[in-house]
Amino acid sequence: MSKVRVISPSVLPDEQLIIREVESNKIHLVCLALKKNFLAVNLMVKSGLFDFDRFYSFCDLVNSKSEVGCFRPYMPVNLSLFPLHRSDRSFDVESSKLHEYFKDTLIANQTYVRVNKIMFVFDRGNWDGFNLEGIMTETVKQFENDFQRSNENIYLTDIEFYYV
């Protein structure tokens, strides 16, 4: 049985509360690598960590490399950017990529961020045709199995998905 709880609450907490929890190292926030992602922009730009152009360049980099971009250990913020769905790839390829992206996010949390809660905030209209919670649940089970064999403790206890 999985020790990590994966849920999808219907109401997103207040943006300022989320930012405070990220800044106080209580959560690992994962947003889509969208230039119009106001939550990530507010966190990175308004805090003075990035200017708009640098943030936009990082979004472009994440999407062009097609891999999750975690700001830890390079920046003092618990934020990762998740690549956008690519409609030019088949459903099977994109499903496989989702497993890879989720696994990379779990590894980044375990290795660099080290908090017990990951909050995914995804914009509607991107990845809508995929069972994100189901794929994440499968990925978490595999992740837990890998760590059971290594006898390493897993920091993560909760994953929340929000669609905005």
Side-chain angles (χ1 to χ4, degrees):
M1 184 168 143
S2 179
K3 294 179 183 174
V4 178
R5 186 175 65 126
V6 180
I7 62 169
S8 186
S10 58
V11 178
L12 181 70
D14 176 70
E15 181 177 301
Q16 292 307 311
L17 174 66
I18 295 169
I19 290 172
R20 280 194 305 274
E21 287 192 342
V22 171
E23 290 173 339
S24 64
N25 293 319
K26 291 182 180 176
I27 65 169
H28 178 184
L29 178 63
V30 181
C31 297
L32 292 175
L34 279 170
K35 294 176 183 179
K36 65 176 183 139
N37 189 314
F38 297 108
L39 185 57
V41 168
N42 283 342
L43 182 62
M44 297 303 289
V45 176
K46 290 185 178 179
S47 67
L49 293 170
F50 270 42
D51 62 24
F52 284 106
D53 290 336
R54 189 169 175 208
F55 179 78
Y56 295 162
S57 293
F58 196 76
C59 287
D60 289 340
L61 180 66
V62 165
N63 288 315
S64 69
K65 287 190 165 205
S66 191
E67 60 187 38
V68 174
C70 182
F71 287 92
R72 288 265 185 203
Y74 309 105
M75 305 279 299
V77 64
N78 297 347
L79 174 69
S80 293
L81 295 181
F82 201 91
L84 301 177
H85 166 57
R86 289 190 33 195
S87 58
D88 62 322
R89 294 194 293 220
S90 74
F91 184 85
D92 290 340
V93 169
E94 284 293 81
S95 293
S96 176
K97 282 292 195 180
L98 277 171
H99 280 281
E100 178 185 319
Y101 299 156
F102 285 135
K103 181 180 177 187
D104 289 348
T105 304
L106 296 173
I107 291 169
N109 190 74
Q110 182 68 23
T111 307
Y112 304 116
V113 182
R114 298 182 175 179
V115 297
N116 65 2
K117 183 177 180 180
I118 298 176
M119 180 182 288
F120 289 85
V121 180
F122 282 11
D123 296 66
R124 290 195 185 277
N126 203 296
W127 296 111
D128 285 354
F130 297 84
N131 178 358
L132 297 176
E133 293 89 348
I135 294 171
M136 172 51 85
T137 300
E138 291 173 21
T139 307
V140 165
K141 286 179 186 173
Q142 182 61 51
F143 181 75
E144 288 177 320
N145 288 338
D146 292 346
F147 274 90
Q148 275 183 340
R149 287 191 289 273
S150 71
N151 288 326
E152 187 176 341
N153 289 332
I154 297 175
Y155 295 100
L156 185 63
T157 59
D158 293 290
I159 295 173
E160 294 180 1
F161 278 102
Y162 295 92
Y163 300 98
V164 294

